[in-house]
Amino acid sequence: MTRKISLKKNILSNMSGQAVLMVLSLVSTRFVFKELGADALGIIYFSVTVTFMLISLSDMGLSGVITREVAAHRHSDRRYVSDLIGTTSVLAWTAYGISCLLIALFAPVLVKHWLQIESIAYSEAMMAFVVISASLLLAIPRAVYGAIIVGNERMDIWNVVNVSAVGLQQFGMILVLGVGGTLYDVATWYVVSGVAGIVIFGTMAARLSGISPLRLSYRWTVISQNFHYGSRMLAITMVGYIIGQADKWIVSKLLPASQLGYYSVAQGLVSKGGMVPGAIAQAAFPALSANVANKEQSDWKTQYHKLQDFCSYVYIPVSAAVAMLGIVVMSFVLNEDVVRQTWPTLVFLAIGQLLLGLQYVPYMLSLAMKRPEIMLRAYLWTLVIAVPAAILLTIRFGLEGAAFSTILAGVLNMFYFIPRFSAECLKTSGWKWFRMSGLLTALGLLSYGLPWFALWMMGLGLDAYGLVAAYAFGSVLFLLVGWIATGPELKGLVREQLRSFGIKVSAKAPWPPSPPNPL
């Protein structure tokens, strides 16, 4: 019962925490665009792009290893957990120092010869890039502390500290710009908030685990025990980074920095929409890891199917909201002229993220079963085709071409990963996954696409009120028709949740009984 409550709380807290951060991020982006201009926005997002690469490389698969090992061994082998935390902390802080050194060495080349800056002096752009990047790189050790919290199945606490740390950064930036701050002031605030964030995460990790993450110790036995799994996780992280971020690197090189800013705003909206499958998958990972290790196969399979059905049914309306209502949001954050140029970019990115998001839960189960090589092979297959295609599409079609490449990547990855995951992890055919998730996706495209098409026919395709009305109509249609198509696992889950809120459900409810709810 404790695990059920914990998993449900983790999912809800993860989604609510990300929603708060999304609002703060949109408001701060609006202030940067209005007060400092499109080039400043491009520099900030370019810093995010570069540091995300270094963060992904420096993580070395540590976050996944820590979460899985802490979840599986925190009650049975605390000595091992203590050695794990000490060793990974040493590795993380070493990686942080090396990453900062790389930024300092390569910043002149990146700012002068990669970015196309039109309205900001080189010296100012250089200063902002280096300072902001160094503060963002604190995410490397912070990820270790966050993984300790998540491994203890306290996603609610992780969200509190994450919202506190990131929210402090975003809210402070709003205040700085609100009183007339410059790009230098914004960069300085990034440093202050970054240090505050690492203190918050480290303190909470120590309280939960009873082990200070500042107790640095290196144990080769910990490295050797997790090297095989961790090395595959590192490979997945790096190849996944190239696939997921190649479009932004290509845009930053081939198009002006202002275009990178617009593209990053759209991608930021889409990534926040991806918080739904991400919240479900990340919150479920510790429980799946523990259940795979300690429970019967039928138990964790039932849990997986419920999570996957729930993810598909909920995420499709969210993706539609990003594609349709995101146009209204971008009009507020930027302006209507920019939106008229970039709305296809937003739609393509939303579809691409939907295709990847539907694979999050299967991916987490494959990690819980220590089978990361399945996704690694899928990523390598996708990399060979999608990245060259992204370059050609961007050269030919600009932002829209870069965004469309994410759809191509999602399709390629899905048709390689899902059949192999189903065969090797679930011992079933991939057709079952495609039948349910594919059916719901097709229903979503029709439910939301038809009313939006009707708006275009009336000349109101970008009208705010029309978009809201079309989305509302499409949501009602999708939720009703999609409910008929969903399996008994999801229907049984909803029935149990209704009962948990004191709502009586008839024994003749239009869905069959299901096994106990893992949420």
Side-chain angles (χ1 to χ4, degrees), residues 253-272:
K253 177 59 178 176
L254 299 178
L255 302 176
S258 58
Q259 294 290 300
L260 173 63
Y262 303 151
Y263 189 84
S264 298
V265 171
Q267 194 174 61
L269 278 174
V270 170
S271 66
K272 293 304 180 184

Side-chain angles (χ1 to χ4, degrees), residues 148-164:
I148 297 170
I149 297 171
V150 175
N152 281 276
E153 297 191 55
R154 292 307 305 269
M155 189 66 76
D156 55 332
I157 292 180
W158 182 90
N159 273 289
V160 169
V161 296
N162 189 53
V163 170
S164 299

Side-chain angles (χ1 to χ4, degrees), residues 353-371:
Q353 179 61 48
L354 171 64
L355 296 176
L356 291 174
L358 293 176
Q359 302 172 62
Y360 283 178
V361 174
Y363 172 55
M364 284 300 175
L365 179 58
S366 71
L367 295 186
M369 298 180 71
K370 293 189 175 181
R371 297 300 307 276

Side-chain angles (χ1 to χ4, degrees), residues 412-426:
L412 290 171
N413 201 80
M414 178 183 294
F415 279 94
Y416 188 99
F417 172 68
I418 293 300
R420 288 159 181 79
F421 159 78
S422 300
E424 297 180 31
C425 294
L426 300 179

Side-chain angles (χ1 to χ4, degrees), residues 5 28 30 36 97 160 166 233 290 308 356 358 391:
I5 295 174
S28 65
R30 174 178 171 81
L36 301 180
V160 169
V166 181
M233 287 296 298
Q308 178 60 27
L356 291 174
L358 293 176
I391 297 173

Side-chain angles (χ1 to χ4, degrees), residues 58 91-101 134-141:
S58 301
L91 294 175
W93 280 107
T94 301
Y96 172 75
I98 294 173
S99 298
C100 287
L101 179 61
S135 64
L136 291 174
L137 286 171
L138 285 170
I140 297 171

Side-chain angles (χ1 to χ4, degrees), residues 267-328:
Q267 194 174 61
L269 278 174
V270 170
S271 66
K272 293 304 180 184
M275 72 183 183
V276 172
I280 295 170
Q282 290 173 15
F285 181 51
L288 286 172
S289 298
N291 288 346
V292 166
N294 303 314
K295 290 193 175 184
E296 295 292 331
Q297 185 182 74
S298 59
D299 292 336
W300 57 257
K301 273 191 174 182
T302 298
Q303 183 182 53
Y304 160 76
H305 285 302
K306 288 185 178 182
L307 289 167
Q308 178 60 27
D309 285 354
F310 179 68
C311 178
S312 301
Y313 187 63
V314 172
Y315 185 38
I316 290 171
V318 173
S319 293
V322 171
M324 299 172 72
L325 304 185
I327 293 173
V328 181

